[in-house]
């Protein structure tokens, strides 16, 4: 049964190669085709989103390295201290002290982040007693695991990127509900907004996947200057294309004036990232607690 599920999600056929270019370069095209009943020739929105979401965060998990290069930190600190000591005649701390100060800085930062999440939201919102007890236990567990993370940040990275797809999956129906509220007078079904949300989030995941691969390629081929330049331009294109794409997608699907579209787009572009950032912070806290 698991094999059949993976085959359904990951199988590559002609529909895949027809879907991905349209997803990347034609804002709103796949959603419009879906609403028009032309669905067989393209990958289904749910399958497309799940495939790209899982693939993107798997590649990000494998490609990034959160290990702190203590020797590099020591070198930078030594250079600063040499400049200072040349004038003040102060004794330079050894590498052990540099490593301790770096580790202490990580622990302090993580403790402060946990405190901000706890006091900034969890203590303000009136949660049921069972939920409050659970969050307090998770926070206590997270604080206990800070030492492990400061020693090996990649341990936290693996847990965090493994949990992010679930977080994004939870955010999809929330964003669809926001679209439904904003376009309630368009008399569209909630499922239509959900299809739009799946396609827009699939595009974002695909863009992040391409950006990650390009940054990895830059690192692998850094001796070839022209390749680094090409990928730098590619990354700049993706950064600029994402907001333009989402705006054009919203305009083409909902068929409202540019002014109304810009107002609603601005609201979504400011409110949704805040909500997404909060959920990512809670995911990070949970990942830290469950190490």
């Amino acid at each position: 049964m698991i094999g059949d599920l993976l085959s359904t999600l990951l199988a590559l056929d002609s529909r895949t190669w027809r879907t991905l270019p349209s997803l990347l370069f034609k804002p709103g095209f796949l959603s419009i085709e879906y609403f028009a009943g032309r669905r067989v020739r393209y990958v289904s929105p749910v399958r497309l989103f799940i495939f790209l979401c899982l693939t993107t965060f798997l590649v990000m998990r494998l490609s990034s390295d959160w290990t702190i290069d203590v020797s590099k930190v020591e070198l930078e600190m030594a250079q600063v201290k040499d400049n200072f000591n040349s004038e003040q005649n102060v004794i330079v701390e050894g590498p052990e002290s540099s490593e301790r100060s770096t580790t202490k800085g990580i622990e302090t930062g993580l403790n402060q982040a946990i405190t901000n999440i706890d006091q900034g939201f969890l203590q303000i919102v009136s949660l049921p007693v069972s939920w409050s007890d659970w969050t307090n236990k998770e926070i206590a567990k997270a604080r206990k695991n800070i030492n492990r993370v400061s020693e090996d940040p990649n341990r936290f990275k693996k847990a965090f990127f493994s949990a992010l797809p679930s977080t994004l999956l939870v955010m999809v129906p929330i964003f669809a509900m926001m679209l439904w509220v904003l376009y309630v007078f368009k008399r569209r079904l909630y499922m239509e907004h959900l299809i739009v949300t799946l396609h827009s989030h699939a595009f974002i995941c695909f863009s992040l996947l391409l950006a990650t691969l390009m940054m990895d390629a830059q690192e692998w081929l850094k001796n070839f200057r022209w390749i680094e330049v090409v990928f730098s331009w590619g990354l700049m294109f993706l950064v600029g294309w994402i907001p333009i794409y989402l705006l054009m997608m919203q305009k083409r699907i909902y068929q409202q004036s540019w002014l109304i579209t810009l107002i609603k787009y601005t609201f979504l572009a400011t409110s949704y990232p805040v909500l997404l950032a909060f959920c990512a912070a809670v995911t990070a806290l949970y990942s830290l607690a469950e190490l």
Side-chain angles (χ1 to χ4, degrees), residues 43-286:
V43 179
S44 70
V46 175
R47 176 180 169 185
L48 180 66
F49 168 72
I50 293 177
F51 170 72
L52 287 174
C53 181
L54 294 177
T55 304
T56 297
F57 289 113
L58 175 62
V59 171
M60 292 176 69
R61 172 181 170 179
L62 295 176
S63 63
S64 59
D65 185 8
W66 291 9
T67 302
I68 297 176
D69 190 348
V70 176
S71 61
K72 184 177 180 180
V73 174
E74 292 170 2
L75 179 61
E76 293 176 351
M77 294 180 65
Q79 291 174 346
V80 173
K81 290 175 180 178
D82 285 341
N83 295 333
F84 179 77
N85 293 334
S86 62
E87 299 179 359
Q88 302 295 331
N89 295 322
V90 180
I91 299 176
V92 179
E93 294 178 343
E96 295 81 3
S97 177
S98 298
E99 184 172 356
R100 285 196 302 270
S101 61
T102 303
T103 303
K104 185 65 176 178
I106 297 174
E107 295 176 359
T108 302
L110 288 174
N111 268 310
Q112 184 61 45
I114 293 173
T115 302
N116 290 339
I117 296 174
D118 185 21
Q119 296 180 352
F121 180 80
L122 298 179
Q123 297 298 333
I124 297 176
V125 178
S126 298
L127 297 174
V129 176
S130 58
W131 287 27
S132 180
D133 291 341
W134 180 82
T135 55
N136 290 334
K137 290 179 181 179
E138 293 298 305
I139 290 173
K141 290 164 61 178
R143 293 190 187 279
K144 290 180 180 179
N145 288 331
I146 286 178
N147 289 334
R148 299 171 63 189
V149 172
S150 61
E151 294 172 359
D152 183 12
N154 280 318
R155 186 194 301 270
F156 171 70
K157 178 204 71 175
K158 293 177 182 178
F160 180 58
F161 280 125
S162 297
L164 273 180
S166 300
T167 303
L168 199 58
L169 189 62
V170 171
M171 295 302 298
V172 164
I174 296 176
F175 187 79
M177 181 60 67
M178 294 172 69
L179 287 176
W180 181 82
V181 172
L182 286 176
Y183 291 98
V184 64
F185 295 112
K186 297 293 288 185
R187 299 187 182 278
R188 286 183 177 268
L189 299 175
Y190 173 78
M191 286 302 299
E192 294 181 87
H193 299 297
L194 188 60
I195 296 301
V196 174
T197 302
L198 288 170
H199 280 141
S200 62
H201 282 63
F203 162 74
I204 294 173
C205 289
F206 192 27
S207 299
L208 290 175
L209 175 61
L210 293 176
T212 303
L213 293 175
M214 280 192 274
M215 286 188 289
D216 288 342
Q218 278 185 315
E219 180 65 24
W220 299 332
L221 304 173
K222 57 185 176 182
N223 294 328
F224 299 91
R225 176 62 181 171
W226 66 273
I227 294 180
E228 184 178 358
V229 172
V230 170
F231 284 129
S232 296
W233 279 102
L235 287 170
M236 291 175 61
F237 167 77
L238 282 176
V239 171
W241 179 234
I242 290 176
I244 296 174
Y245 179 102
L246 296 174
L247 176 61
M248 293 176 63
M249 180 179 184
Q250 194 169 329
K251 175 69 171 66
R252 289 178 178 177
I253 291 175
Y254 294 106
Q255 298 289 309
Q256 291 188 324
S257 67
W258 276 109
L259 179 59
I260 299 299
T261 302
L262 280 171
I263 292 174
K264 294 181 178 181
Y265 176 81
T266 302
F267 171 76
L268 291 172
T270 53
S271 59
Y272 185 67
V274 172
L275 184 59
L276 188 61
F278 168 75
C279 291
V282 173
T283 300
L285 177 62
Y286 177 77

Side-chain angles (χ1 to χ4, degrees), residues 13-30 41-43 48 52 203 206-207 210 237 241 245 252:
D13 52 27
S14 60
R15 292 180 299 171
T16 304
W17 310 118
R18 191 180 299 116
T19 302
L20 292 180
S22 298
L23 177 68
L24 186 61
F25 297 112
K26 297 181 178 180
F29 175 79
L30 292 177
R41 66 183 72 176
Y42 305 106
V43 179
L48 180 66
L52 287 174
F203 162 74
F206 192 27
S207 299
L210 293 176
F237 167 77
W241 179 234
Y245 179 102
R252 289 178 178 177

